[in-house]
Amino acid sequence: MPEGRRGARAHDETLTGEHRLGDAGQAIFAVLFAAVWVADAFFLRATTGGNGVVPFVVRAPIGVAVLIISGWMARTGLRIVFGEKREKPEVIRKGVFGVVRHPIYLSEILLYLGLLLLSLSLAATAVWIAATLFLVFLCRHEERLLLKRFGEEYARYMRDVPMLFPRLRRK
């Protein structure tokens, strides 16, 4: 394929790589979650019994806040990875990457969670759990690649910064 026709990600030597099923798996989970969430929250209402327990006026502000955080993390993380030019490959520790090692995957988890808080669909919760487990699998796969590429520098980063869930206290 001619150089100009390849995607930017395909030839960027500063990127380490992804699992071959990563993008397809994420797309499948996104479509599955959306379908289950919409069907259950708005039409079937088969597993949304929790909505009567926790009022919408309580769930909505929390859900919207989680969605805003998700969007901010995704935008910030993607801007750092794809929007900045680096002379040589390096372990990124700045911004959201200083809080968690995989902020873009965390933003995906939070996106689903924010929507779940709006509907409390147990069926969609099951898909969210499966999607989260898939994202953890992707994190571990990518970390093996990063350890091979960056060695002790990435091992130190792993000790300093949690994978997906921020620490309440700094080390």
Side-chain angles (χ1 to χ4, degrees), residues 33 37-38 40-42 47-51 56 59 113-122 124-125:
F33 179 87
W37 182 74
V38 168
D40 195 36
F42 299 106
T47 65
T48 57
N51 288 333
F56 187 73
R59 292 181 284 118
L113 178 61
L115 294 172
L116 282 173
L117 288 169
L118 298 177
S119 72
L120 296 184
S121 165
L122 291 178
T125 300

Side-chain angles (χ1 to χ4, degrees), residues 73-84 97 104:
M73 286 188 80
R75 183 172 183 245
T76 303
L78 289 168
R79 183 178 286 159
I80 291 170
V81 172
F82 297 109
E84 296 181 4
F97 289 92
I104 300 165

Side-chain angles (χ1 to χ4, degrees):
M1 181 181 306
E3 181 67 29
R5 297 188 66 197
R6 273 194 260 166
R9 292 170 63 178
H11 70 281
D12 189 342
E13 292 84 30
T14 64
L15 300 177
T16 297
E18 298 175 335
H19 193 278
R20 63 185 177 83
L21 300 176
D23 290 340
Q26 287 177 276
I28 289 167
F29 274 113
V31 169
L32 181 61
F33 179 87
V36 170
W37 182 74
V38 168
D40 195 36
F42 299 106
F43 301 108
L44 303 175
R45 299 176 197 256
T47 65
T48 57
N51 288 333
V53 177
V54 183
F56 187 73
V57 296
V58 173
R59 292 181 284 118
I62 298 169
V64 169
V66 170
L67 290 170
I68 290 169
I69 292 167
S70 168
W72 175 81
M73 286 188 80
R75 183 172 183 245
T76 303
L78 289 168
R79 183 178 286 159
I80 291 170
V81 172
F82 297 109
E84 296 181 4
K85 202 77 160 150
R86 283 178 280 290
E87 294 301 315
K88 65 181 186 102
E90 64 185 356
V91 175
I92 301 171
R93 288 178 162 259
K94 66 188 261 185
V96 291
F97 289 92
V99 179
V100 294
R101 295 191 306 266
H102 300 279
I104 300 165
Y105 290 150
L106 176 58
S107 72
E108 191 173 337
I109 292 167
L110 292 176
L111 170 70
Y112 297 146
L113 178 61
L115 294 172
L116 282 173
L117 288 169
L118 298 177
S119 72
L120 296 184
S121 165
L122 291 178
T125 300
V127 177
W128 174 65
I129 290 168
T132 299
L133 292 173
F134 178 71
L135 291 170
V136 169
F137 167 78
L138 292 180
C139 289
R140 293 185 192 283
H141 173 79
E142 289 178 13
E143 290 192 338
R144 284 190 297 275
L145 297 175
L146 291 162
L147 279 167
K148 278 184 191 174
R149 185 166 191 180
F150 295 107
E152 181 54 35
E153 182 184 0
Y154 196 80
R156 197 170 32 256
Y157 178 56
M158 290 175 74
R159 287 189 298 270
D160 294 344
V161 179
M163 181 189 292
L164 284 169
F165 303 104
R167 291 187 183 105
L168 296 177
R169 294 185 194 170
R170 293 260 181 206
K171 274 188 165 183

